[in-house]
Amino acid sequence: AAAAAAANMCGRSTSKVIAATGAEAVKLSRRAVGVCIETPQSPLCKLDGSVKELRCLGAWNTFATFPRRRPFATNVLLGLFTFPFADYTMQRIERWRSYRSEDSAEKRKGIGAVAGHGAARGAATCEFVLDVHRSLLFCAFGGVMAVMNWIVYMPVFARLCPGAMRFANQSWSQKVRDKPGQVDLAKQVLLDNAVYGPAIIFPCFYLLKAAVQERVSFLEGLGRYR
């Protein structure tokens, strides 16, 4: 009963909760909001007698342990955030380069001789306007790619190239001697670049681009992928 109460107080389903009294260890599954208590003296929780009160960690520890507890959700969130952020950065760089090229062309033509007029025009020309449809495109593409990468790299490549993951986690001295791991790694790189990219990644991008940014039919968008 005490173990069940401890699990309920943490707000998470625990696969196994072991509670002991006195100086014995109190252990919780790592699925319980990132809590893993090894001894009653641990500062992570308050132990009064035989587990009468168990306080879960605060919001920071919940946030810090979220990637370990929810790897798939973390992967999707990263895709939804990093793709549009990278596109936002590129939009700003593209606008800055466009402004620089326009300014250089005008200087060569002798336009903007009046300093005040030139400064006002430059400020107006350099104003950045976010392409919302393009950002939405990359947000959708990041979410789709996060799901597809999880499916392809985790179960599919793990079966087709079982030694690649083991090879990646080895030391350099072990990698030199692991011939099957080298073969599986080369196989995975080949499948990634020759099959997964051309057959899945690029078609998905052009389909989303057709639907979100260009607002044309899927067939037209897919026809633009050559």
Side-chain angles (χ1 to χ4, degrees):
N8 291 331
M9 290 180 66
C10 280
R12 290 289 178 185
S13 59
T14 52
S15 59
K16 187 176 182 181
V17 178
I18 305 173
T21 61
E24 297 180 1
V26 178
K27 296 183 180 180
L28 292 180
S29 170
R30 294 185 184 274
R31 293 179 62 82
V33 197
V35 180
C36 181
I37 305 168
E38 300 296 339
T39 65
Q41 291 77 19
S42 173
L44 301 184
C45 76
K46 181 180 178 182
L47 183 67
D48 183 12
S50 59
V51 193
K52 291 182 179 178
E53 182 180 0
L54 182 64
R55 297 186 303 185
C56 295
L57 300 183
W60 168 250
N61 194 76
T62 302
F63 173 78
T65 59
F66 184 82
R68 184 184 62 193
R69 293 182 290 106
R70 297 289 186 267
F72 176 74
T74 302
N75 189 50
V76 174
L77 290 175
L78 286 175
L80 292 174
F81 173 76
T82 56
F83 277 64
F85 180 75
D87 175 65
Y88 169 79
T89 304
M90 288 306 303
Q91 287 190 41
R92 300 217 44 121
I93 294 175
E94 289 172 0
R95 186 68 197 96
W96 179 75
R97 288 180 176 177
S98 175
Y99 166 72
R100 290 292 300 272
S101 62
E102 292 173 1
D103 187 58
S104 299
E106 290 179 355
K107 286 182 179 180
R108 286 195 298 268
K109 293 179 181 179
I111 301 178
V114 180
H117 173 72
R121 186 183 182 284
T125 306
C126 192
E127 182 180 357
F128 172 74
V129 178
L130 179 66
D131 189 343
V132 179
H133 285 91
R134 177 170 157 177
S135 297
L136 290 176
L137 164 66
F138 278 93
C139 184
F141 182 62
V144 171
M145 283 297 98
V147 176
M148 293 301 301
N149 288 341
W150 182 274
I151 295 174
V152 172
Y153 285 104
M154 300 303 289
V156 177
F157 280 175
R159 291 189 178 184
L160 297 178
C161 315
M165 183 63 69
R166 182 194 70 249
F167 180 83
N169 294 323
Q170 290 176 344
S171 63
W172 284 106
S173 59
Q174 293 173 325
K175 289 178 179 180
V176 172
R177 298 190 298 268
D178 189 0
K179 301 302 180 182
Q182 297 174 13
V183 173
D184 281 343
L185 180 63
K187 188 195 305 182
Q188 180 170 317
V189 172
L190 180 63
L191 291 173
D192 189 12
N193 290 277
V195 179
Y196 178 49
I200 297 179
I201 295 180
F202 292 118
C204 285
F205 174 77
Y206 280 96
L207 288 175
L208 289 172
K209 183 179 180 182
V212 177
Q213 188 178 27
E214 299 175 348
R215 297 182 179 181
V216 297
S217 65
F218 285 151
L219 292 178
E220 288 181 300
L222 192 60
R224 299 178 184 182
Y225 169 55
R226 304 296 182 186

